[in-house]
Amino acid sequence: MKINTALILCAGYGKRLNPLTLVEPKPLLKVNGITLLENCINLIKSLGIKKIILNTFYLKEKIESFVEIKKFDLDIKIINDGKKILNTGGGILNMMNSSNDSSFLILNPDTLWNQGYLKKIKEMEDFYFTNQIKNILLLVNKNLSFDEKLKGDFNLLKNKIKKEIQNDLIYTGCQIMNKDLFDSYSVSDFSIAEVWNQLVIKNELYGYESVESFYHLTNFKIYKELLKNN
C-alpha cells in the first residue's frame, strides 16, 4: 500500500446496540471471540499499513486501556474528540490534523472485515492513485448484506457515485480520502455525508464495488444473529 496511515472511527455512542453499549464501547464488542476493533486493526496490518490513528469519546478510557494492554506491533495514536463528540466528518478531520500525510484509509469497525477484502482495498487504492482523485468509497450490493433490511445508499456508473430514487449499493465503511477535501471545514460537529453530498453534486465522488458478503453490526438484533451465524 502507498497509504501510510489508517484512521479508525471509535468515538460513537453505539445507541442501536443498547443495552450492551451502556457499559462497553461498540468497538470492543466481540464476534468469534475477537473485538471489532482488533479485527479492524488486523485487516490494516495485513494491508501493510503500520500507522493507525483512532478517535475516542464515549467510554474512551476502555478503548485506551484495550490498546495499551494488547500492545499491537503498530504505531497507534489515540485522538480524543474533546469536550463534545464531533460526528464522523469532524472526527476524521481531527485525526487528519494530527498527521503530516495527505491521503488516508478510513475504516469503520462496525463491519466484520476479513482477509477477502484485501484484494479489493488494494485495487481501490490503485484506482485512487492512478486516476489522481481525492476520494473513493468501497461499496457493496445490498443483496450481499447479512442485514436484509439495509437499503442502498448509492449507485455506481463507471466508478462515479450517484444518488438516485432507487439505490442498490451500500457503503461498507471503508474509504480513502485526501485531506484537501476538508479545506473549507474546521474541526466541528459535522457528518462525512456533508462532504460526500457536495462531491456528488460536482460529480466527483468515486466508488469501487466489493463482492464480499457484507456483515455489519446495524443494531442489537443483528448482532445477536451474527453471533449465531459466526
Side-chain angles (χ1 to χ4, degrees):
M1 296 280 287
K2 294 181 181 179
I3 290 174
N4 297 313
T5 303
L7 312 180
I8 308 178
L9 295 164
C10 295
Y13 291 102
K15 292 179 180 179
R16 287 176 294 181
L17 282 148
N18 283 351
L20 298 175
T21 47
L22 293 175
V23 295
E24 200 76 76
K26 183 166 56 174
L28 297 188
L29 296 181
K30 292 183 178 181
V31 177
N32 290 330
I34 185 171
T35 65
L36 299 174
L37 178 55
E38 184 169 1
N39 183 61
C40 189
I41 290 172
N42 287 343
L43 177 78
I44 292 167
K45 188 173 183 179
S46 294
L47 287 165
I49 296 174
K50 302 193 181 298
K51 293 182 180 180
I52 294 175
I53 304 171
L54 60 89
N55 69 332
T56 59
F57 182 79
Y58 177 63
L59 298 176
K60 62 180 182 180
E61 295 83 3
K62 290 199 171 186
I63 293 176
E64 291 167 355
S65 177
F66 175 80
V67 172
E68 183 178 353
I69 291 170
K70 293 296 294 187
K71 298 188 183 303
F72 294 102
D73 186 23
L74 295 165
D75 178 5
I76 299 180
K77 182 188 296 185
I78 299 176
I79 303 294
N80 186 256
D81 273 8
K83 295 181 180 180
K84 181 181 179 181
I85 195 166
L86 293 172
N87 207 328
T88 50
I92 288 170
L93 179 55
N94 195 34
M95 288 188 282
M96 286 181 170
N97 283 344
S98 70
S99 170
N100 292 323
D101 291 345
S102 56
S103 293
F104 300 84
L105 177 69
I106 305 168
L107 291 167
N108 186 329
D110 298 7
T111 296
L112 295 186
W113 303 108
N114 61 61
Q115 299 297 301
Y117 281 100
L118 295 176
K119 183 174 183 290
K120 281 295 178 183
I121 293 175
K122 289 177 180 178
E123 289 176 359
M124 182 176 74
E125 186 205 43
D126 183 64
F127 185 93
Y128 173 88
F129 284 111
T130 299
N131 292 279
Q132 298 182 335
I133 55 180
K134 299 288 187 180
N135 69 84
I136 191 161
L137 281 61
L138 188 64
L139 310 174
V140 66
N141 193 287
K142 61 186 178 182
N143 293 331
L144 292 174
S145 175
F146 179 80
D147 182 356
E148 296 177 352
K149 293 184 179 180
L150 281 181
K151 297 179 180 180
D153 303 304
F154 306 108
N155 286 326
L156 199 58
L157 179 63
K158 294 181 179 179
N159 293 105
K160 291 285 188 73
I161 288 177
K162 312 291 182 182
K163 291 185 74 172
E164 299 169 316
I165 296 174
Q166 176 67 38
N167 297 296
D168 296 324
L169 300 175
I170 298 169
Y171 171 57
T172 63
C174 173
Q175 62 182 320
I176 297 171
M177 299 194 86
N178 190 294
K179 189 178 179 181
D180 290 348
L181 294 173
F182 296 85
D183 282 349
S184 63
Y185 292 85
S186 60
V187 174
S188 59
D189 179 7
F190 70 94
S191 170
I192 194 62
E194 292 184 28
V195 182
W196 293 347
N197 290 339
Q198 291 299 314
L199 291 167
V200 168
I201 291 170
K202 295 186 290 185
N203 197 31
E204 293 178 357
L205 186 64
Y206 292 84
Y208 206 84
E209 188 170 353
S210 166
V211 293
E212 286 293 309
S213 295
F214 180 57
Y215 298 92
H216 180 267
L217 271 72
T218 315
N219 52 43
F220 182 61
K221 179 182 177 182
I222 292 298
Y223 178 60
K224 289 194 296 183
E225 292 177 5
L226 281 170
L227 293 179
K228 293 178 184 177
N229 288 270
N230 283 274

